Amino acid sequence: MTRNLQVLGFGALAIDDIIYVDRPLSAGKGKVINRTQDHGGNVATALVAVAKLGGRAGFIGWLNDQPLADVSARELERHGVDISFAPRRPDARPIRSVITVGPEGDRFIAYDDDVPHGTSEALADSTLAQAQVLLIDSYAVNADMVVARARKLGLAVVADIEWAIGPATERLVSLSNHLVLPLKFAQIYSCDTDPRLILRKLWSDDRTAVVLTDGERGSYIMQTGDDVLWHVPAYKVKAVDTTGAGDCFHGAYAFALTQGKQPVACAVYATAAAAISVTGPGGRRALPDQSACLAWMAKDNAPVPRPIAPPD
């Protein structure tokens, strides 16, 4: 069938109340210098990043059955994300988050996620088969059968997992052929600290790539058909707000996959996108377009992948 969309995703939708303070979060107390509200959520922001980069993205998670009342859905549409295939239910609503951002861009997120998660098990195969990539987050444990069907249909499943709830998360990890995980979570999940050992531990015969993201220290990659472990350094930038940087990375990585790039090249592209995203406030306001990413990648001082020594 014709692939009308390139990247589909389901996961958290959020409305973020963001507070900027004048002292590091570790100070314990500081003055509020600005307040704003933005829309967020791991997969939702990643899909907005795909659309901003020029890709065709679709959200297929739960939305409210009263479209005019669903401000998060309208915000996705405003950014060019297709929501026409999303299932509806009356109790669907976004997570509410309060994000405190320090002067160096570091942040603390407090959230209330007592909302419906996942997507409908009745989602049609024809809907999934439109796309090349499925983006999921930790909440996909509520719809792992949909993830399994996506894999059988040939979609690449890119997983952004930040917390685990036992066997359900283990199944989600096993279903995802592109694990793109924060290093801090991967360290807890694998019971190891060395990125090289973690890459090996998270590998399986069904895996295409394992990517460990570590903020300003870059990312670590293992990809299929390659005996080399790779490190992609981060760009040196003055961070205004790191909210949504990981989501941007996931969206750019997924979009690069649709362009036929190998995982290390996807990580290089995503590194540029994420670096640009932290140069402005909020999780979506500084998301880059394709031309901005390519311009950053063409700089003389742009980071290049480096092989890293295997573990002893």
Side-chain angles (χ1 to χ4, degrees):
M1 66 174 293
T2 301
R3 293 184 184 269
N4 298 318
L5 297 169
Q6 294 169 298
V7 181
L8 292 173
F10 65 89
L13 286 169
I15 296 177
D16 301 329
D17 292 307
I18 307 174
I19 301 169
Y20 296 90
V21 297
D22 66 343
R23 302 188 68 188
L25 303 187
S26 59
K29 184 182 291 186
K31 184 178 180 180
V32 174
I33 57 176
N34 194 19
R35 299 174 187 266
T36 189
Q37 188 177 87
D38 203 356
H39 292 262
N42 293 25
V43 167
T45 297
L47 292 172
V48 170
V50 172
K52 186 67 181 290
L53 290 166
R56 301 186 303 279
F59 183 78
I60 53 172
W62 288 113
L63 294 178
N64 194 272
D65 63 358
Q66 300 296 320
L68 293 179
D70 199 333
V71 294
S72 293
R74 296 205 308 272
E75 184 70 7
L76 286 176
E77 280 193 307
R78 185 177 75 84
H79 285 288
V81 177
D82 190 320
I83 62 169
S84 62
F85 297 97
R88 303 275 182 167
R89 55 189 287 178
D91 59 342
R93 63 186 188 279
I95 292 170
R96 294 303 300 255
S97 303
V98 176
I99 304 175
T100 305
V101 182
E104 300 300 320
D106 54 323
R107 81 268 193 237
F108 181 85
I109 303 174
Y111 58 89
D112 176 4
D113 65 351
D114 187 20
V115 302
H117 295 296
T119 189
S120 172
E121 297 284 358
L123 202 70
D125 281 356
S126 58
T127 296
L128 295 171
Q130 293 182 79
Q132 298 160 263
V133 180
L134 176 67
L135 267 169
I136 59 171
D137 62 17
S138 303
Y139 295 109
V141 294
N142 296 281
D144 61 352
M145 294 303 294
V146 174
V147 180
R149 287 197 286 123
R151 280 297 306 274
K152 288 183 179 180
L153 290 166
L155 278 73
V157 175
V158 176
D160 176 11
I161 300 175
E162 297 180 325
W163 42 260
I165 55 171
T169 301
E170 292 174 11
R171 173 165 167 74
L172 200 62
V173 167
S174 70
L175 287 170
S176 305
N177 57 332
H178 291 261
L179 287 179
V180 186
L181 310 177
L183 176 61
K184 288 183 179 179
F185 166 75
Q187 289 171 331
I188 296 170
Y189 185 80
S190 68
C191 299
D192 218 317
T193 57
D194 188 329
R196 300 167 300 173
L197 294 173
I198 297 171
L199 290 171
R200 300 287 190 194
K201 282 189 173 183
L202 293 179
W203 195 257
S204 72
D205 291 341
D206 291 334
R207 205 79 73 207
T208 304
V210 178
V211 182
L212 307 175
T213 61
D214 193 23
E216 63 185 14
R217 286 166 289 278
S219 59
Y220 306 89
I221 304 105
M222 183 175 180
Q223 62 183 2
T224 188
D226 188 352
D227 294 331
V228 178
L229 303 180
W230 296 93
H231 175 230
V232 177
Y235 287 79
K236 297 185 183 302
V237 298
K238 170 62 176 175
V240 172
D241 188 348
T242 58
T243 303
D247 307 333
C248 178
F249 187 102
H250 284 82
Y253 182 96
F255 177 65
L257 279 178
T258 70
Q259 306 305 296
K261 296 182 183 295
Q262 293 300 304
V264 170
C266 292
V268 170
Y269 182 77
T271 297
I276 299 169
S277 77
V278 305
T279 61
R284 297 181 181 176
R285 298 181 191 182
L287 291 174
D289 58 18
Q290 171 87 317
S291 61
C293 286
L294 295 179
W296 275 53
M297 292 169 66
K299 292 180 178 180
D300 292 338
N301 62 346
V304 296
R306 301 189 303 223
I308 52 178
D312 296 332

